[in-house]
Amino acid sequence: MEKLNIFLLFPENDDEILAMGEDTERYKNVVKDLTEIKNTAQNVCYTLFYDSNNIDAFCNKAAEIIVNENYLNNIKTQLLNILNKKAINVVNKPLFKSDCCYFKWNSNTAYPQTDNILRSATEDFIEKKTTIVISFLCQDEWNRDIIPIIKDAPHYKGLPIIFNIPYFNTVASFVEWYRVQNSNNGHICLCDVSRFERTNHIWKPSKRRIYKEKKTGNYWYYDYFHKDNKEHYEVFDSNGNHLGEADITGELIVGSVDNEKSIKDCIN
């Protein structure tokens, strides 16, 4: 991977903020997750893209729930410090075409898209760059690992065209994808739609997206440890009982079943 362009989406509307609730740890986790993104991508040339209005809306809306305004100002300061001058604010440098329309496609409905991040990501993707979108939403009902965006304008020949932009929520999903892209050792990936389907279930203790294996009905989530870098998959049957850990090639590890592990409460 020669260069990676990462477009960041922060929660900003009422529903997205309400899903985060009053737990201040969830707001701290946004800062931690942004740091995790930078740490993960540090071995490649990457650029972060953000919308300062999106960050302002995130903190302003959150202030209606979290009464400690100074705390939220601190979160905003931390986010901007982590982004620093190397990141690109699409408010100042929009990549999208002002004379074009952009629509997010969802099964059989097209939604007009005015979000600066998604419109800019679309144009970046069109340039054949390695473009991804990472969302910090606490509760994400978008049940895909891509965001299909339609670009249209009657005065441009060849339009409309639909573009499938890689999309990650949670950040752990991005970490897995990144490691797969930079691995030559048979690393499987849960975003492989031929084998797995994305669910809306999150294993909240470790903020891992749960995927369902199409052939078996088993549930999987990607796990890794920051200290010893021991990455693996946790595997559960269709009822949420632990079947064991799988290595990065997808093979179950003998003797790794832990009867105390369960995702029953999460999937039911």
Side-chain angles (χ1 to χ4, degrees):
M1 188 185 301
E2 295 183 358
K3 190 175 187 302
L4 177 63
N5 288 345
I6 304 171
F7 291 76
L8 305 171
L9 273 176
F10 297 91
E12 66 174 28
N13 64 40
D14 291 338
D15 290 340
E16 291 167 352
I17 297 299
L18 285 173
M20 296 189 73
E22 300 180 7
D23 185 356
T24 55
E25 285 300 315
R26 290 185 173 178
Y27 297 88
K28 290 181 182 178
N29 284 336
V30 173
V31 175
K32 292 177 181 178
D33 284 345
L34 181 55
T35 302
E36 181 69 14
I37 292 170
K38 294 189 69 173
N39 290 339
T40 298
Q42 63 182 337
N43 293 325
V44 299
C45 179
Y46 72 92
T47 302
L48 297 176
F49 295 81
Y50 71 100
D51 181 340
S52 57
N53 292 331
N54 179 213
I55 292 179
D56 286 342
F58 167 52
C59 290
N60 291 339
K61 284 288 184 181
E64 298 175 8
I65 297 178
I66 304 294
V67 295
N68 188 341
E69 184 175 346
N70 290 330
Y71 175 80
L72 288 173
N73 286 336
N74 186 40
I75 291 291
K76 179 179 176 181
T77 299
Q78 289 182 65
L79 291 174
L80 294 177
N81 285 341
I82 295 170
L83 290 167
N84 65 48
K85 295 180 180 179
K86 295 182 180 179
I88 295 176
N89 182 358
V90 297
V91 171
N92 299 329
K93 294 183 179 180
L95 304 182
F96 59 87
K97 308 297 183 183
S98 59
D99 59 345
C100 291
C101 298
Y102 302 82
F103 302 86
K104 184 164 69 173
W105 177 258
N106 189 5
S107 297
N108 58 1
T109 306
Y111 299 91
Q113 195 61 48
T114 58
D115 185 285
N116 288 332
I117 286 293
L118 290 183
R119 291 191 293 172
S120 294
T122 301
E123 289 299 330
D124 192 73
F125 186 82
I126 291 172
E127 296 295 322
K128 306 299 182 182
K129 299 177 181 178
T130 305
T131 308
I132 66 172
V133 174
I134 301 180
S135 164
F136 296 87
L137 298 182
C138 181
Q139 186 174 355
D140 181 13
E141 297 301 323
W142 182 256
N143 199 23
R144 304 176 79 169
D145 291 315
I146 58 167
I147 296 184
I149 301 288
I150 299 170
K151 177 184 177 181
D152 194 16
H155 48 280
Y156 282 118
K157 185 178 181 180
L159 295 181
I161 298 179
I162 188 167
F163 302 95
N164 296 325
I165 304 173
Y167 170 75
F168 300 97
N169 176 282
T170 61
V171 169
S173 299
F174 159 69
V175 174
E176 182 206 12
W177 172 85
Y178 177 87
R179 294 187 177 182
V180 171
Q181 296 298 310
N182 293 278
S183 171
N184 295 315
N185 53 7
H187 202 315
I188 67 166
C189 188
L190 296 182
C191 62
D192 177 5
V193 295
S194 67
R195 181 174 176 181
F196 300 97
E197 60 183 35
R198 186 182 191 266
T199 76
N200 285 328
H201 306 308
I202 299 289
W203 180 238
K204 292 184 178 179
S206 55
K207 299 182 295 176
R208 305 295 190 244
R209 171 75 58 186
I210 295 175
Y211 288 76
K212 187 174 185 179
E213 190 173 17
K214 294 179 178 180
K215 183 177 180 179
T216 64
N218 294 336
Y219 291 100
W220 294 58
Y221 69 76
Y222 173 69
D223 209 358
Y224 62 97
F225 298 97
H226 298 284
K227 291 184 179 180
D228 59 16
N229 201 31
K230 180 190 173 185
E231 55 182 326
H232 63 276
Y233 296 90
E234 296 286 352
V235 187
F236 303 82
D237 67 19
S238 59
N239 295 316
N241 301 304
H242 194 237
L243 294 176
E245 296 179 0
D247 62 25
I248 60 173
T249 68
E251 292 294 324
L252 282 174
I253 300 171
V254 177
S256 62
V257 177
D258 185 345
N259 293 326
E260 293 186 1
K261 292 182 179 178
S262 172
I263 58 169
K264 290 182 179 179
D265 292 341
C266 184
I267 63 175
N268 294 325

